[in-house]
Amino acid sequence: MRIFTAALATETNTFSPICIDRRAFEASLYASPGKHPETPTLCTAPITVGRRVAAEKGWILIEGTAAWADPAGLVNRRTYEDLRDEILDQLRAALPIDAVILGLHGAMVADGYEDTEGDLLQRVRELVGPEVLVCAELDPHSHLTNRRVAAADFFVFFKEFPHTDFVERAEDLWRVAVDTLEGRVTPVMSVFDCRMIDVFPTSREPMRSFVDRLMQIERHDADVLSLSVVHGFMAGDVTEMGTKMLVVTNGKAEKGKALARELGLELFSRRGTYRMPEIDAHQAVAQAIAAPSGPVVIADMWDNPGGGTAGDATVVLEELLARKATDTAVGTIWDPMAVQICMAAGEGAEIPLRFGAKSAPGTGRPIDGIVKVIKLVRNAEMRFGESIAPFGDAAHIRLRGIDIILNTTRAQSFDPSLFSAMDIDPGSKKILVVKSTNHFYASFSKIASEILYCSAGTPYPNDPAKTPYRRARRDIWPMIADPHGPDQGV
Ligand SMILES: [Zn+2]
């Protein structure tokens, strides 16, 4: 067997002011064919798992480009077209092949392309013809468009949020692909449109039990090859935005359709109950200061660079300063200009500095003060599960008893190693502030005395009922109360 694999991924918050071009991919991950590192990035596990499977099988794996940019705003048109065409040219040169196995995200929007993954998959299909297996692993924070379903044989999405399972799901993807190529199964996709948009953390109920049940069905029902909840991505203003239930069966389209509907309606029936309880900055800081022990982790959950925001909001920090909190560390505030100034000043210098809140309205005010530059690191990195996440040149500064990490490559706060990389001992602090909606949970819950989910300012469109969408459909919950009701003609 000859199998082609490649990855092209980012998550586009169409409301974000941080538009990106090729440099953003190069800053996060750009690997030319064969140059992908041994450890996978979020959306590139099909390549690393593929190397293992191909070696075991004695098959030929032809690697194309792997490119991943951290979530941001609109992707430059030329950047998308160049990366897409680079991969398509590699695929063309690799023909004839038996399968195309891709790592995608599913929520990339480029200037002029509302559905980049649909565009890429359709071009792949046109190139390889109807007989070649085309499949992909994707992030559930994505848009499952009709165009994508029509172009591919099957998809596997991560089940966990935080996405701790991207390697396991790549293994699922390859298992089904191998079974297909060896003639044991014929994957067929059935999709149910849940007509909703919500946030579904699997680190808590009721989503935890729902995902456990999906895995149980996968284990016990031989007709079911894979089940995925496509959460949808509410910050992507595209026409097919929304939550979908995907069932991949072994040639049982009718059974798949019924199961997708049953599971999708069950998911819908608990709408509005999945999110973590959110408190404002005032409450979060008061509660953290009053806590008997630390570290209390305050998640500045909606200023999450992992959701495409700048990650430079200062609302929580302003509150900490106002309350005279000490023994506190904030990681991170994105401000390349301030980092440049700190780098010029050098470690140990005390300087006047303005930083933060430059990207967008609703992110607070820039902070002014005399800061001490404690530690400077070029190309700083933190861990994220089995992979490494860069956060760029970074400065650890101290302002009125608060340690703050300023960074240049926007990155959400995945792991406490973010702090240790900057000479801050996270376990010894009373309060830690992180920029992450939920990915921080897997690692920070191990050291936290308490976790507070804080909704501070308005850096992210987190209330779909109020978000001024221009393209997304409005016939879904919570824009309307009951889209599956009798008048809606499901
Ligand atoms: Zn995601």
Side-chain angles (χ1 to χ4, degrees), residues 11 42 71 105 138-142 158 160-163 231-233 306 412 439:
E11 179 183 80
L42 189 68
H105 182 287
L138 300 99
D139 186 298
H141 299 117
S142 59
F158 316 147
E160 302 294 342
F161 174 41
H163 303 321
H231 299 193
F233 186 57
Q412 76 170 302
H439 281 128

Side-chain angles (χ1 to χ4, degrees), residues 155-226:
F155 297 124
V156 173
F157 291 74
F158 316 147
K159 283 189 175 62
E160 302 294 342
F161 174 41
H163 303 321
T164 50
D165 63 332
F166 58 91
V167 174
E168 283 105 313
R169 298 294 80 80
E171 287 164 352
D172 290 352
L173 180 82
W174 272 92
R175 189 179 320 116
V176 175
V178 166
D179 285 346
T180 307
L181 291 169
E182 293 185 335
R184 284 186 292 277
V185 301
T186 308
V188 173
M189 286 195 277
S190 305
V191 180
F192 180 75
D193 181 356
C194 301
R195 294 186 176 227
M196 67 190 288
I197 183 72
D198 208 343
V199 180
F200 303 92
T202 59
S203 46
R204 55 184 293 114
E205 294 295 358
M207 200 55 184
R208 180 69 261 146
S209 296
F210 191 78
V211 166
D212 287 341
R213 201 152 77 75
L214 297 186
M215 292 194 275
Q216 206 177 7
I217 296 170
E218 284 178 336
R219 276 194 299 273
H220 292 112
D221 190 330
D223 293 335
V224 175
L225 303 179
S226 172

Side-chain angles (χ1 to χ4, degrees), residues 159-374:
K159 283 189 175 62
E160 302 294 342
F161 174 41
H163 303 321
T164 50
D165 63 332
F166 58 91
V167 174
E168 283 105 313
R169 298 294 80 80
E171 287 164 352
D172 290 352
L173 180 82
W174 272 92
R175 189 179 320 116
V176 175
V178 166
D179 285 346
T180 307
L181 291 169
E182 293 185 335
R184 284 186 292 277
V185 301
T186 308
V188 173
M189 286 195 277
S190 305
V191 180
F192 180 75
D193 181 356
C194 301
R195 294 186 176 227
M196 67 190 288
I197 183 72
D198 208 343
V199 180
F200 303 92
T202 59
S203 46
R204 55 184 293 114
E205 294 295 358
M207 200 55 184
R208 180 69 261 146
S209 296
F210 191 78
V211 166
D212 287 341
R213 201 152 77 75
L214 297 186
M215 292 194 275
Q216 206 177 7
I217 296 170
E218 284 178 336
R219 276 194 299 273
H220 292 112
D221 190 330
D223 293 335
V224 175
L225 303 179
S226 172
L227 298 173
S228 295
V229 177
V230 186
H231 299 193
F233 186 57
M234 62 176 65
D237 189 6
V238 300
T239 44
E240 290 177 76
M241 184 200 69
T243 305
K244 312 270 171 78
M245 185 69 220
L246 170 66
V247 175
V248 183
T249 56
N250 180 15
K252 300 271 191 332
E254 280 309 308
K255 177 172 175 173
K257 195 176 162 194
L259 184 59
R261 181 185 165 84
E262 180 196 324
L263 292 169
L265 285 175
E266 187 182 326
L267 196 69
F268 178 81
S269 72
R270 299 205 187 91
R271 64 197 175 280
T273 68
Y274 296 101
R275 284 198 190 197
M276 27 305 208
E278 298 170 23
I279 54 179
D280 66 18
H282 192 70
Q283 273 178 294
V285 169
Q287 247 175 275
I289 289 173
S293 64
V296 177
V297 174
I298 300 177
D300 190 356
M301 63 186 292
W302 295 116
D303 188 33
N304 171 18
T309 67
D312 70 347
T314 58
V315 179
V316 178
L317 177 56
E318 262 192 289
E319 184 70 23
L320 287 162
L321 289 166
R323 296 289 205 113
K324 298 192 167 35
T326 53
D327 204 10
T328 294
V330 178
T332 57
I333 290 177
W334 178 70
D335 194 330
M337 199 192 296
V339 171
Q340 201 181 341
I341 290 165
C342 293
M343 288 276 175
E347 287 180 3
E350 274 199 319
I351 57 169
L353 189 70
R354 165 169 285 199
F355 63 92
K358 290 167 185 153
S359 69
T363 58
R365 285 171 297 219
I367 304 288
D368 290 295
I370 305 292
V371 309
K372 179 157 189 169
V373 180
I374 307 290

